[in-house]
Amino acid sequence: MKLIGVIPARYASTRMPGKPLADILGKPMIWWVYQEAKKCKKLDDVFIATDDERIAEACRTYGMEYCMTSPDHDTPTGRIWEVSTKVEADLYLQIMGDEPLINVKAFDLILPDTLPEDPYYVAVLTNAAREILMISRSPIPYPKGTLDFEYEKVTGIQLYSRRALAFYHETPKSILEKAEENDMMRFVENGHKVHAIVSPYKTVSVDTPKDLALVSEILKGKE
């Protein structure tokens, strides 16, 4: 079984243009994610998937393997699909490039030792049955009747088979996907079960300069 790690990285972020190259203690953010991913012994290789020459140049500078992809992809999963057409593997682990605090131990929670029968996996939290019913940018469930539950943070690790990626590419965007701007809803809304795994390894996603400063302080404390 061949397992490939893929880190989607686009330059044209709406909130933070050039985010993958944001400086964290003298290294681009994407470098921190790549270095942690390379520690995973289950992965046969790790690629950065980008459509921007500036990110590609950073990959060459720091010795990181990369794959150039089309600028037309509007979701990370679409970029992973293109990598699957160029790099053959059984499973593709999507590792979000704005998670510089990602812990390689979390990979073992989602990467199988043998090829799973169900191709749709994602390392996020969901209902008690561990099947995603809905992904939203709003608080769900809405706390009308009780507050006797906890909200959890989604970690940017997702695992796909080539068949799952092909389905994603060949299937139009779903209504809920368009509404929430979350590409995992394309599977859920079309009746495919997406399994979730609870991870004890907490991260900080970098979406703003404030997040970047926080991550820099955390990593500085680990030196």
Side-chain angles (χ1 to χ4, degrees):
M1 180 174 62
K2 188 174 182 180
L3 302 174
I4 296 294
V6 186
I7 306 170
R10 68 187 184 103
Y11 193 91
S13 170
T14 303
R15 286 177 287 188
M16 282 186 67
K19 182 164 64 170
L21 301 182
D23 182 89
I24 299 179
L25 305 182
K27 297 286 196 312
M29 178 163 60
I30 198 73
W31 180 88
W32 293 91
V33 181
Y34 185 87
Q35 294 304 311
E36 191 68 14
K38 289 291 286 184
K39 295 177 185 177
C40 182
K41 295 185 178 1
K42 286 186 178 181
L43 292 177
D44 294 282
D45 217 334
V46 178
F47 292 90
I48 292 172
T50 186
D51 60 357
D52 193 278
E53 178 57 31
R54 288 163 289 191
I55 296 175
E57 177 59 29
C59 291
R60 292 190 290 268
T61 298
Y62 290 98
M64 301 182 291
E65 290 192 75
Y66 69 97
C67 181
M68 294 302 295
T69 56
S70 169
D72 297 330
H73 297 300
D74 58 358
T75 67
T77 307
R79 207 171 298 284
I80 305 301
W81 165 78
E82 185 174 343
V83 172
S84 77
T85 68
K86 300 177 178 180
V87 181
E88 186 171 349
D90 295 296
L91 296 172
Y92 300 82
L93 182 69
Q94 177 178 305
I95 309 156
M96 297 306 291
D98 59 359
E99 297 270 6
L101 297 181
I102 198 75
N103 190 323
V104 68
K105 293 179 181 178
F107 296 8
D108 287 332
L109 299 176
I110 191 171
L111 288 174
D113 293 315
T114 58
L115 193 62
E117 294 181 4
D118 188 336
Y120 307 108
Y121 283 79
V122 58
V124 298
L125 296 186
T126 183
N127 64 2
R130 297 294 174 246
E131 295 176 358
I132 290 179
L133 301 177
M134 179 64 186
I135 303 171
S136 177
R137 298 181 189 275
S138 301
I140 53 174
Y142 185 78
K144 180 182 179 181
T146 180
L147 288 172
D148 189 22
F149 59 87
E150 295 181 357
Y151 291 113
E152 301 281 354
K153 178 188 178 299
V154 172
T155 300
I157 311 174
Q158 299 169 2
L159 187 65
Y160 301 99
S161 68
R162 297 188 80 188
R163 184 163 70 91
L165 291 169
F167 168 84
Y168 178 88
H169 176 69
E170 295 164 1
T171 305
K173 280 189 177 183
S174 65
I175 295 174
L176 292 177
E177 177 187 359
K178 292 177 181 178
E180 294 286 353
E181 291 190 343
N182 190 298
D183 47 0
M184 290 305 300
M185 288 308 302
R186 194 173 311 185
F187 296 107
V188 176
E189 199 168 350
N190 282 282
H192 290 286
K193 292 181 180 180
V194 181
H195 294 275
I197 298 172
V198 177
S199 170
Y201 308 107
K202 306 306 179 184
T203 64
V204 175
S205 300
V206 176
D207 295 312
T208 67
K210 185 177 179 180
D211 297 331
L212 187 66
L214 174 60
V215 166
S216 296
E217 286 301 313
I218 293 173
L219 289 172
K220 187 184 297 183
K222 293 182 178 181
E223 290 187 331

